[in-house]
Amino acid sequence: MFPGMPKSALFPRMRFTRQVLLLQIGVVALVVGLGVGLFSGLLRSALANQYGERALAVAKSVATDPVVIEGAAARQQGGALQQRSQAVQLRTDALFVVITDDEGIRLAHPTPDAIGQPVSTSPAEALAGNDVTTQYDDGTLGPSVRSKTPIRQGDRVVGEVSVGYKIGELTGDFNRLLILTLAFGGGALLLGVGASALLNRRLRRVTHGLEPHELTELLYEREAVLHGIGEGVLALDGQQRVSVRNDEAERLLDTELPVGAPMAELELSPRVHKAVAEGVPVDNLLAVAGNRVLVVNSRAVHRDDRPLGTVLTFRDRTDLDTLTRELDGIRSLSDGLRAQRHEFANRLHTLSGLLQLGHHAEAEEYLQTLTETTAGRPHALGDSVADPYLQALLVAKTEQAQEKGMELKLADDSWVPTTVTDPIAAGTVIGNLVDNALHAARMSPRRPASVEVALLADGTTLHVSVVDSGSGVAEELRGTLFDEGVSSKIAPGHGLGLALARQAARARGGDVWLADPGGPSSGALFVAKLPELLVEAAE
């Protein structure tokens, strides 16, 4: 190794797909090799048994010949026995056909000079009356596969017949069959290598050429990103099924998002379903989920011009929306106070001018008029509403209505003797209903434009009704009035007020509904029921 050169530069790590390919090729080669070896052994054994059975059949045919039986019993050497053995040898292509007496002395042999001599292999088993099959021996005529059988005359063994075939004949047949086996094994090996190559190519395409350690790193990075960000993430595959989501998405949407669930079965905002169905990018779409206002962004994902699915992100804007509504209330109240300050300053200037000019009687009369006008104003729209939050909300909305040339009235039969337990929920419901009523009254040609609010306590339940002097709700909007994005206002960004009001009411077990859509002669009437919103009144 050269100094300073890392070891991996000389021995680069082999790609995983190549390792799999080589491993598969090795396994296929090993299996084919073992199969060929096992088959070769079984084939050789089967051929040997076949030749042995063949030799035994020839030996039995010779041993049952009456001439052979009489000659062996008489221990006749050569002669008829020699002729019979040579005829059978020529007819069966055997290496030898040997006949012996009951002492193992050759009575017939392919080599005439060997007649009268003992056999080269032990005849004991055959002379004991047993058949000997498939025995490999190396006799005077060379190695062979031989079988032996006894010659019986009645119940007495008078000799034996031994028939053998050349090992070369067995080897030739074996080699021919082995060549066919090797050709089949080679074809199987090539087929296995081709299949392994195709599988390796498929693996590279599916993993986009990434190594296992790279896939592991991507998994860790994905988990870290999904669960480390403060936004909700929901990914859908090409069939609009949930493929990836984080815990923040389930928390913000206030529903479970099981992987594999179809998008159509999820309880999400209609706006979100519509954005996904249309398949167009969505930026900063406002949607309601439970008591939260979410900002939704949607992007379609493609790779190599192939659609992979859609990714949605959710940001919680509830706190910002609440602060915005509170800021609007404070701004309305401050505008009202500023108007009162200007009015009060003008009155003081008038009073100062009368005093400076010496019109003391006129100044006294003017001051008396101011005192009576101020005293005659109901404190916080009347003493029938004891809660300071409701008073402040109604005062702010009253000043807002007056600035726009409208009138906001509290119904005479209103009665709330206790305080509210959740000012935010009360402000969300009442504020949105009043804002919509003021808008409807201002846009209607009917004058004077006015809104009447009725608040009535029933134990701990607060009943709210808001009626305006507008032209009523259009018939095409009545069925979808409380859906997100449905609004009669032209400017974008509206259509959440009534949806938020209903969500806030239903979160407490109550509801908001359109009691009377109104029409040409009367405005719309909205009613809300808010259980457990008031402190229980003392007896």
Side-chain angles (χ1 to χ4, degrees):
M1 183 180 295
F2 297 102
M5 180 179 293
K7 185 177 181 180
S8 59
L10 292 178
F11 305 100
R13 179 188 296 178
M14 185 180 296
R15 294 185 62 84
F16 176 74
T17 52
R18 185 168 298 175
Q19 296 179 23
V20 172
L21 177 61
L22 294 179
L23 178 62
Q24 290 172 338
I25 293 175
V27 170
V28 171
L30 178 62
V31 171
V32 171
L34 291 176
V36 170
L38 179 61
F39 182 77
S40 299
L42 294 176
L43 179 62
R44 188 175 186 84
S45 176
L47 287 175
N49 290 333
Q50 181 180 354
Y51 272 89
E53 293 293 337
R54 179 180 176 184
L56 181 61
V58 173
K60 283 182 176 293
S61 67
V62 174
T64 57
D65 189 341
V67 176
V68 174
I69 295 175
E70 291 179 1
R75 296 182 178 178
Q76 177 185 351
Q77 297 181 358
L81 295 181
Q82 181 71 3
Q83 293 176 2
R84 292 296 179 92
S85 67
Q86 288 182 350
V88 172
Q89 178 181 347
L90 293 175
R91 190 168 61 248
T92 60
D93 293 330
L95 176 64
F96 60 85
V97 176
V98 177
I99 303 173
T100 70
D101 58 15
D102 57 354
E103 293 182 354
I105 302 302
R106 297 186 182 105
L107 303 178
H109 192 274
T111 305
D113 295 339
I115 297 175
Q117 298 177 3
V119 293
S120 58
T121 58
S122 176
E125 187 72 17
L127 293 177
N130 300 320
D131 293 332
V132 179
T133 308
T134 316
Q135 179 178 348
Y136 289 93
D137 280 322
D138 191 5
T140 57
L141 298 178
S144 63
V145 176
R146 64 187 65 188
S147 296
K148 300 177 181 181
T149 188
I151 303 174
R152 299 178 185 274
Q153 188 179 45
D155 295 334
R156 186 170 65 91
V157 176
V158 295
E160 59 126 357
V161 179
S162 178
V163 179
Y165 286 92
K166 292 181 182 180
I167 293 291
E169 295 181 6
L170 173 64
T171 303
D173 291 341
F174 172 76
N175 289 339
R176 285 191 295 273
L177 293 175
L178 183 60
I179 291 174
L180 294 177
T181 303
L182 290 177
F184 176 80
L189 179 61
L190 292 177
L191 181 62
V193 171
S196 300
L198 292 177
L199 181 61
N200 180 64
R201 182 179 178 183
R202 170 67 178 171
L203 183 61
R204 286 200 307 268
R205 185 166 64 250
V206 169
T207 59
H208 301 287
L210 296 177
E211 295 294 303
H213 68 278
E214 295 175 331
L215 294 175
T216 303
E217 292 176 359
L218 286 177
L219 176 61
Y220 291 156
E221 291 174 359
R222 191 199 74 166
E223 292 297 318
V225 170
L226 281 179
H227 300 287
I229 62 177
E231 296 184 356
V233 177
L234 173 61
L236 307 172
D237 60 15
Q239 287 72 39
Q240 301 299 315
R241 294 174 302 191
V242 177
S243 58
V244 177
R245 85 282 184 272
N246 60 359
D247 298 336
E248 186 67 11
E250 291 188 335
R251 187 187 71 83
L252 293 177
L253 296 173
D254 194 23
T255 184
E256 293 185 358
L257 303 172
V259 175
M263 177 69 178
E265 297 180 2
L266 300 179
E267 297 181 359
L268 302 181
S269 166
R271 276 189 164 186
V272 177
H273 283 288
K274 183 178 180 182
V276 174
E278 292 177 351
V280 296
V282 174
D283 292 315
N284 300 326
L285 175 69
L286 296 181
V288 177
N291 293 328
R292 293 186 176 90
V293 178
L294 304 180
V295 179
V296 183
N297 290 276
S298 173
R299 288 292 183 274
V301 182
H302 295 81
R303 182 181 178 86
D304 300 331
D305 297 331
R306 182 168 64 92
L308 300 180
T310 306
V311 176
L312 298 143
T313 59
F314 306 93
R315 294 196 309 273
D316 192 355
R317 220 193 75 165
T318 305
D319 295 337
L320 179 60
D321 193 68
T322 302
L323 291 175
T324 301
R325 290 199 304 270
E326 293 181 355
L327 181 60
D328 289 340
I330 294 173
R331 182 182 294 112
S332 299
L333 188 59
S334 64
D335 291 342
L337 292 176
R338 184 170 60 253
Q340 290 181 2
R341 181 176 63 84
H342 284 295
E343 181 183 0
F344 186 69
N346 293 331
R347 292 173 180 177
L348 286 181
H349 292 159
T350 302
L351 182 60
S352 175
L354 290 174
L355 292 175
Q356 290 179 7
L357 294 175
H359 301 295
H360 298 285
E362 289 79 356
E364 183 177 356
E365 182 180 357
Y366 183 69
L367 184 59
Q368 183 68 25
T369 303
L370 292 178
T371 304
E372 292 176 355
T373 303
T374 306
R377 290 183 178 178
H379 176 63
L381 296 180
D383 297 331
S384 57
V385 178
D387 183 77
Y389 294 103
L390 295 180
Q391 291 180 2
L393 176 63
L394 294 175
V395 167
K397 296 301 180 182
T398 300
E399 297 293 343
Q400 180 181 352
Q402 290 178 352
E403 287 186 354
K404 296 178 180 179
M406 295 182 291
E407 181 183 10
L408 176 64
K409 298 180 295 182
L410 182 65
D412 296 336
D413 56 352
S414 297
W415 176 248
V416 183
T418 60
T419 58
V420 299
T421 58
D422 190 350
I424 299 298
T428 300
V429 176
I430 300 175
N432 281 302
L433 292 180
V434 171
D435 287 341
N436 282 338
L438 291 176
H439 174 76
R442 185 167 61 90
M443 299 302 294
S444 173
R446 189 180 296 121
R447 291 294 181 270
S450 64
V451 174
E452 184 177 71
V453 180
L455 305 176
L456 182 62
D458 182 11
T460 60
T461 302
L462 178 63
H463 296 273
V464 182
S465 65
V466 179
V467 61
D468 58 70
S469 61
S471 302
V473 179
E475 186 174 357
E476 64 271 13
L477 296 179
R478 295 174 186 176
T480 60
L481 191 60
F482 291 93
D483 293 345
E484 300 168 3
V486 177
S487 176
S488 59
K489 300 175 183 178
I490 301 176
H494 297 285
L496 293 176
L498 291 178
L500 281 174
R502 171 169 280 186
Q503 291 283 0
R506 289 182 173 179
R508 306 187 60 84
D511 203 352
V512 177
W513 64 94
L514 177 64
D516 184 1
S521 60
S522 63
L525 171 62
F526 288 86
V527 178
K529 178 182 179 181
L530 304 174
E532 304 297 330
L533 185 67
L534 301 176
V535 176
E536 188 173 357
E539 293 294 340

